[in-house]
Amino acid sequence: MYLIDYHIHSNNSFDSKETVSAVCEAAIEKGINEICFTEHFSVKEGIKSYGFLNLKKYSDEIKECKEIFKDKLTIRAGIEICEPHENEEELKLILENIPFDFILGSVHNFDYNIGLATYMSSHSKEESYSRYFEEVNKVCTSPYIDIVAHLDLMKRYAFNTHGNYDFNEYREKIEEVLKNIINAGKGIEVNTSTLRGMVNETMPSIDILKMYYDLGGEIITVGSDAHKAEDVGADIRESIEVLKNIGFKNIYRFKNRQAIPVEI
Ligand SMILES: [Zn+2]
Ligand SMILES: [Zn+2]
C-alpha cells in the first residue's frame, strides 16, 4: 500500500516547533511513501498565522530535504489557508506567484478573528455546529483550495462542553456542503488528529465519509495533522482501510495542485 500523509505542520507554522527534516525522517521510519507539508497561512492581519510563514525559508528547506531524502520519500509543499473566501483578491495575487503543490482550506475562525473555541464558549451547541457548517459552505468552493480540511472540526472544540453532534440533525447542511465540494471539483480529507484525543473519531466522521461517497465524491486525501514528528503518519493505514470498506477505490496525492489518484 502506498502511504501518504497530506496534512503536516513544521516550524514553518506558528504552532509547531518541528523541523522539516525531522518530519521527513519520522515519515521514512514509519514507512510513509509521500508527505505534504501544509503550513498555516493567512492574509488576515491580526490572526496568529498572519505573517508567520517565511516562504524563502520554507522553500529552501523543502528543496534541501527533497535532495537528502530523494530515494526514500516524496515531499510536497503546501499550505493550509483559513477562511480563504474572506480575502480572495489578496490570495489571488500571492498564490499566482508561488507554485504550491497543494492547498487545504479551513474554517478556524468566525467573523474574521473569533476562534471556534471562543465562539463555542458563549453559544449553544446548536448555534455552534450550525454556524460552523454554514461557514464551511462558504470556504468549500474557493478557487484557492484543493481540499476542505477537517470538515467537522467544531467537534474538537465543542466536545468537552457541548458533546459531539448528531449527524442526522445537520444532515441537510452537510449534504449541501458535500454537493458544493463535488460540483466545484474539490475534495475532502480524512484528518486523524482527533483519534489522538477525547473525540476518538476522525474528522469528518464516518457518516460524512459515507455520504460523500454516496453522493459521488471521489477526491479524498488522508492526513495526520501532525505538529510533532512522532505523530507523522498516525492512523493513516487504518483510515485507508476505512475508506476501502466504504467503497472508495482511490485516495489522492497532488503535484502542482493537480490531483493524482493512488489506488487503495
Ligand atoms: Zn486546521
Ligand atoms: Zn492543520
Side-chain angles (χ1 to χ4, degrees):
M1 189 186 280
Y2 189 83
L3 295 175
I4 66 170
D5 186 341
Y6 257 60
H7 193 149
I8 300 177
H9 299 273
S10 74
N11 62 14
N12 291 295
S13 293
F14 72 92
D15 55 358
S16 169
K17 298 215 170 347
E18 207 62 79
T19 61
V20 166
S21 64
V23 167
C24 294
E25 278 166 14
I28 292 164
E29 206 171 287
K30 290 169 189 204
I32 306 293
N33 303 91
E34 177 166 334
I35 59 171
C36 184
F37 289 88
T38 50
E39 310 293 359
H40 289 299
F41 180 77
S42 179
V43 294
K44 290 165 50 164
E45 218 171 325
I47 71 163
K48 283 180 197 157
S49 49
Y50 179 78
F52 188 89
L53 181 62
N54 177 335
L55 288 166
K56 169 88 170 68
K57 171 184 176 298
Y58 183 31
S59 68
D60 285 352
E61 290 170 0
I62 293 286
K63 207 192 263 177
E64 192 182 297
C65 284
K66 276 185 172 171
E67 185 54 35
I68 298 171
F69 302 110
K70 64 175 180 249
D71 301 325
K72 295 175 180 159
L73 182 68
T74 299
I75 304 167
R76 303 281 185 228
I79 48 173
E80 176 178 5
I81 307 180
C82 53
E83 299 87 52
H85 60 295
E86 288 177 351
N87 297 74
E88 296 208 323
E89 282 306 306
E90 274 168 279
L91 278 176
K92 183 172 190 278
L93 285 173
I94 292 170
L95 297 176
E96 263 172 6
N97 297 308
I98 308 167
F100 288 117
D101 290 307
F102 178 64
I103 304 183
L104 286 172
S106 302
V107 172
H108 292 141
N109 305 283
F110 295 159
D111 301 325
Y112 196 85
N113 61 358
I114 299 172
L116 300 186
T118 307
Y119 182 89
M120 184 273 304
S121 64
S122 60
H123 291 80
S124 70
K125 178 175 182 174
E126 214 282 320
E127 285 168 331
S128 301
Y129 282 111
S130 288
R131 178 73 193 273
Y132 176 77
F133 288 119
E134 283 158 21
E135 293 298 313
V136 172
N137 202 26
K138 295 178 193 163
V139 164
C140 70
T141 52
S142 165
Y144 308 109
I145 71 163
D146 302 307
I147 290 281
V148 175
H150 40 55
L151 199 140
D152 56 4
L153 176 67
M154 189 45 129
K155 70 188 177 192
R156 182 200 275 171
Y157 300 100
F159 190 80
N160 276 331
T161 47
H162 295 329
N164 207 340
Y165 67 98
D166 176 355
F167 171 73
N168 285 313
E169 274 178 44
Y170 301 91
R171 176 182 273 278
E172 278 171 33
K173 278 194 159 74
I174 293 167
E175 188 170 334
E176 191 187 343
V177 171
L178 293 177
K179 281 180 175 166
N180 285 335
I181 290 172
I182 295 166
N183 289 337
K186 312 288 177 191
I188 64 172
E189 69 162 358
V190 183
N191 184 306
T192 67
S193 66
T194 27
L195 289 171
R196 305 194 290 278
M198 298 276 285
V199 182
N200 203 26
E201 61 175 39
T202 57
M203 294 184 289
S205 65
I206 290 184
D207 285 326
I208 295 185
L209 296 174
K210 283 183 181 156
M211 184 185 247
Y212 181 62
Y213 177 79
D214 290 340
L215 290 169
E218 288 180 4
I219 300 174
I220 192 158
T221 58
V222 287
S224 63
D225 211 344
H227 287 67
K228 294 180 283 187
E230 66 189 67
D231 291 332
V232 172
D235 299 300
I236 292 296
R237 279 185 185 81
E238 295 77 357
S239 299
I240 294 173
E241 285 303 327
V242 168
L243 292 176
K244 248 170 134 168
N245 289 335
I246 291 172
F248 289 97
K249 300 278 180 283
N250 301 296
I251 52 173
Y252 284 77
R253 58 199 194 92
F254 283 74
K255 188 179 184 188
N256 299 324
R257 303 203 49 209
Q258 297 301 311
I260 305 163
V262 179
E263 205 179 315
I264 58 175

